[in-house]
Amino acid sequence: MDFKSIIAHCKEYGFIFQSSDIYDGLSAVYDYGPNGVELKNNIKKYWWRSMVQMHENIVGIDAAIFMHPKTWKASGHVDAFNDPLVDNKDSKKRYRADVLIEDYIAKIEAKNNKDVEKAKKKFDNFDETMFRSTNGRIIERQTKITQISKRMADAMTAGDMAEMKQIIVDLDIACPISGSKNWTDVRQFNLMFSTQLGNIAGEEDKLYLRPETAQGIFVNFLNVQKSTRQKLPFGIAQIGKAFRNEIVARQFIFRMREFEQMEMQFFVQPGTEMKWYEYWKETRLKWHQSLGTPSEKLRFHDHDNLAHYANAAADIQFEFPFGFKELEGIHSRTDFDLKAHQELSGKKLQYFDPDKNENYVPYVVETSIGCDRMFLAVLSNALQEETIPDSKGNDSTRTVLKIPPTLAPVKCAILPLLKNKPELTSKAREVFESLKGSFNCQYEEKDAIGKRYRRQDAIGTPYCVTIDFDTLEDGSVTLRDRDSLNQTRINIDDLKGVLFNKLMD
Ligand code: ATP
């Protein structure tokens, strides 16, 4: 489904609303509605279960959003958490210079993919790898991509904003809105929001809204290690809000100014970090696949331009409706953060290794995924328009959200066949009451049954239970499966057990 339809669906079915909608909204800030909050909580639960509950050596914390201002000095965020900003003088639109260049690269990539698709159709036994490595035009474009990427990575690493501007000029990049090439200089822009502690404004009392949850983990490293008596390697996981004053935020919940991260910092012996980096790359990719995300919609993208704290970094990219973009980052952060906090605080942040009988600062491998981006990935992968037969056997279309049952906001809808038959509605209520303690259920009696099925399909409810006149006779109900549309009769007494088995699959 296209991006616009996904956004409209989110509003219509109570997944996501623009923040402060009645005041015409607040840019790049969103609220989750009744179905959205369920889906988001389920994503968080699924992540927490697989990272914390399933790993004996990973424990959780929930650190405060406000932290001592020195935290952000030590972490490098005060000095280096910048994005390169550029304005178009004619359209007055603001852009991230690196994103303009990345979009330029994506267009070249798209041309290559188009050529591959064409050739695929032309030749039997088509060998894509061979084609890509031998076709002259593709090689030429690929070389150009590599050159531009390298040039940009060097400029970003050096913080050379004049060179960033020169790349835009050399590539003849135009403003996507006005087509104008009249650019300002490229400037660094710090992404942290600041506020103050107490009511006296001044540098001393300046506080930041955390731009990542990771630092709450680093400053608690010893508290957690000592209180849980974990041995290396072990991890600390956290889910929480982060805030970034993004320069451009025009992509719905993909890029927000207030968002939620699910992060895990894995502390390891120095020298073993590359092994763990590879381990977490693979493990995290499998996590996405386990949720039914097709492999062809996922890919790794290694960073050319490493952040100030990293010695290796890769993104897991997902094919969003606007192309392959970062969904999750896996970063080998070395001992940068713990060492920096140790220096600035004057407190030791070292691990005593009983096997080696020595103290050292551990190295860190991080997995960091945006909960909201995951939400968008799940939704854009699962939302589909489908043609199905209606009750008379004619073709009809339905919008269906084919999400895994474990993520579904509502697990089961209880539907009396007719609204104005008290014997049906009271029986349906009885069934609802018996199930609601075990699963998130919904009782619905308004509108014709077909319409109610459609509404449940649109929010991804995997099962509907219909109570009809036969129910009153023999105690059986119809269980309808969202994906196969199969309807089976089962006894009310077996309903909870059957649902439990199906939802645990
Ligand atoms: P980008 O390059 O897209 O700005 P990033 O590399 O700055 O992202 P990280 O600092 O690695 O992102 O943050 C880890 C994860 O947090 C990202 O993979 C993404 O899922 C999420 N994230 C980062 N910024 C935002 C944002 N503004 N809105 C929503 N999610 C975000």
Side-chain angles (χ1 to χ4, degrees):
M1 210 177 253
D2 65 74
F3 195 30
K4 260 198 180 145
S5 312
I6 293 171
I7 297 171
H9 189 90
C10 281
K11 183 166 185 190
E12 185 179 351
Y13 288 95
F15 284 96
I16 295 166
F17 309 123
Q18 176 78 56
S19 155
S20 329
D21 212 0
I22 58 167
Y23 294 103
D24 297 332
L26 185 64
S27 165
V29 186
Y30 291 91
D31 298 339
Y32 285 81
N35 287 318
V37 67
E38 295 291 342
L39 172 52
K40 193 176 178 204
N41 282 342
N42 290 340
I43 290 174
K44 289 195 263 188
K45 266 187 243 158
Y46 189 81
W47 184 86
W48 194 265
R49 210 165 51 222
S50 58
M51 297 299 274
V52 180
Q53 192 176 324
M54 300 302 284
H55 288 95
E56 279 176 61
N57 62 345
I58 300 182
V59 292
I61 63 161
D62 182 18
I65 287 171
F66 288 144
M67 299 185 70
H68 193 286
K70 281 190 180 168
T71 309
W72 306 110
K73 189 74 196 151
S75 68
H77 283 81
V78 173
D79 297 321
F81 194 54
N82 302 319
D83 273 344
L85 169 155
V86 65
D87 291 301
N88 185 276
K89 290 185 196 163
D90 296 323
S91 67
K92 307 273 183 275
K93 285 281 170 201
R94 180 156 284 185
Y95 296 93
R96 255 174 71 176
D98 55 333
V99 172
L100 281 178
I101 299 167
E102 275 166 11
D103 287 349
Y104 182 89
I105 291 173
K107 275 191 199 138
I108 310 180
E109 246 169 16
K111 277 189 196 154
N112 275 355
N113 293 342
K114 212 170 160 189
D115 282 0
V116 169
E117 285 310 311
K118 260 198 223 153
K120 227 183 230 170
K121 282 190 195 130
K122 230 161 82 193
F123 304 111
D124 294 335
N125 299 329
F126 178 68
D127 182 341
E128 183 174 332
T129 318
M130 171 82 109
F131 184 73
R132 281 186 185 272
S133 58
T134 51
N135 180 281
R137 261 199 314 226
I138 291 198
I139 294 172
E140 200 180 300
R141 289 196 201 109
Q142 199 52 50
T143 312
K144 193 168 176 196
I145 291 175
T146 313
Q147 280 167 352
I148 302 170
S149 304
K150 165 98 178 55
R151 199 174 155 197
M152 178 166 86
D154 289 347
M156 290 288 283
T157 308
D160 187 347
M161 295 300 109
E163 169 70 351
M164 287 296 283
K165 163 95 187 258
Q166 199 52 50
I167 300 174
I168 292 177
V169 172
D170 291 350
L171 296 178
D172 217 21
I173 294 178
C175 165
I177 292 183
S178 64
S180 146
K181 294 170 190 166
N182 194 5
W183 298 106
T184 61
D185 285 343
V186 179
R187 286 157 291 151
Q188 294 275 29
F189 177 78
N190 193 289
L191 299 181
M192 282 201 292
F193 282 103
S194 63
T195 180
Q196 86 228 17
L197 190 66
N199 55 9
I200 306 163
E203 272 310 301
E204 281 292 284
D205 302 294
K206 195 165 176 181
L207 281 193
Y208 295 101
L209 299 188
R210 66 179 178 199
E212 62 174 23
T213 58
Q215 298 304 326
I217 293 178
F218 294 131
V219 299
N220 275 303
F221 164 69
L222 267 195
N223 285 338
V224 174
Q225 194 270 322
K226 291 206 162 133
S227 57
T228 58
R229 299 188 298 154
Q230 285 284 350
K231 283 176 73 179
L232 250 54
F234 80 94
I236 306 178
Q238 170 165 229
I239 298 177
K241 290 262 175 156
F243 304 82
R244 295 184 188 177
N245 202 357
E246 297 283 358
I247 295 173
V248 183
R250 300 188 196 112
Q251 282 168 321
F252 194 41
I253 58 167
F254 178 81
R255 191 172 298 287
M256 302 155 91
R257 297 205 162 98
E258 172 180 342
F259 58 100
E260 218 161 343
Q261 288 186 314
M262 307 189 285
E263 293 198 311
M264 193 278 299
Q265 311 295 326
F266 201 67
F267 299 90
V268 305
Q269 221 183 71
T272 63
E273 71 274 14
M274 280 307 151
K275 182 184 91 185
W276 288 110
Y277 171 68
E278 292 303 331
Y279 171 84
W280 282 110
K281 269 175 73 176
E282 289 309 317
T283 305
R284 293 303 303 151
L285 185 70
K286 282 192 197 131
W287 183 85
H288 290 280
Q289 289 161 340
S290 75
L291 275 172
T293 312
S295 296
E296 62 273 17
K297 287 197 167 188
L298 294 165
R299 71 180 190 195
F300 284 119
H301 175 256
D302 292 324
H303 284 209
D304 300 316
N305 163 39
L306 291 175
H308 58 275
Y309 51 74
N311 67 355
D315 297 336
I316 294 177
Q317 294 187 332
F318 171 78
E319 191 174 17
F320 288 96
F322 37 85
F324 272 101
K325 297 273 177 203
E326 171 175 350
L327 170 58
E328 170 157 8
I330 293 102
H331 309 127
S332 172
R333 294 184 76 129
T334 68
D335 55 357
F336 176 89
D337 300 272
L338 288 181
K339 255 198 179 145
H341 288 307
Q342 185 169 266
E343 268 158 36
L344 202 62
S345 67
K347 309 268 164 42
K348 274 208 163 133
L349 286 175
Q350 297 190 352
Y351 171 74
F352 175 71
D353 189 327
D355 301 329
K356 293 179 134 190
N357 202 23
E358 63 180 71
N359 282 301
Y360 53 80
V361 179
Y363 269 47
V364 174
V365 174
E366 158 185 86
T367 72
S368 173
I369 172 167
C371 184
D372 314 270
R373 276 194 199 175
M374 186 61 199
F375 189 109
L376 184 58
V378 167
L379 221 82
S380 47
N381 185 43
L383 196 59
Q384 304 168 17
E385 292 260 324
E386 236 183 29
T387 306
I388 54 162
D390 65 12
S391 54
K392 294 186 187 96
N394 299 321
D395 276 357
S396 73
T397 52
R398 70 163 178 168
T399 304
V400 55
L401 186 64
K402 288 195 172 169
I403 40 177
T406 159
L407 298 186
V410 177
K411 308 296 181 207
C412 179
I414 318 298
L415 316 169
L417 186 63
L418 298 167
K419 176 180 152 190
N420 50 8
K421 295 280 177 210
E423 59 277 36
L424 291 182
T425 52
S426 65
K427 191 73 196 163
R429 281 245 162 242
E430 216 179 88
V431 174
F432 173 67
E433 292 299 325
S434 73
L435 293 177
K436 75 176 190 191
S438 310
F439 320 103
N440 192 24
C441 295
Q442 203 168 69
Y443 173 86
E444 240 201 338
E445 57 180 30
K446 198 172 166 287
D447 295 323
I449 192 77
K451 215 166 174 187
R452 277 179 276 163
Y453 282 153
R454 292 291 185 277
R455 216 161 34 224
Q456 295 299 332
D457 287 343
I459 64 167
T461 308
Y463 299 103
C464 289
V465 169
T466 310
I467 283 78
D468 56 19
F469 292 104
D470 287 346
T471 313
L472 307 177
E473 298 288 317
D474 61 9
S476 70
V477 293
T478 301
L479 184 68
R480 173 191 182 263
D481 183 298
R482 177 195 70 199
D483 298 343
S484 68
L485 293 170
N486 284 343
Q487 302 202 4
T488 40
R489 289 302 288 191
I490 58 167
N491 199 285
I492 290 182
D493 297 336
D494 300 330
L495 192 54
K496 196 185 273 186
V498 169
L499 279 173
F500 194 79
N501 284 337
K502 284 182 179 291
L503 291 166
M504 289 304 279
D505 267 357

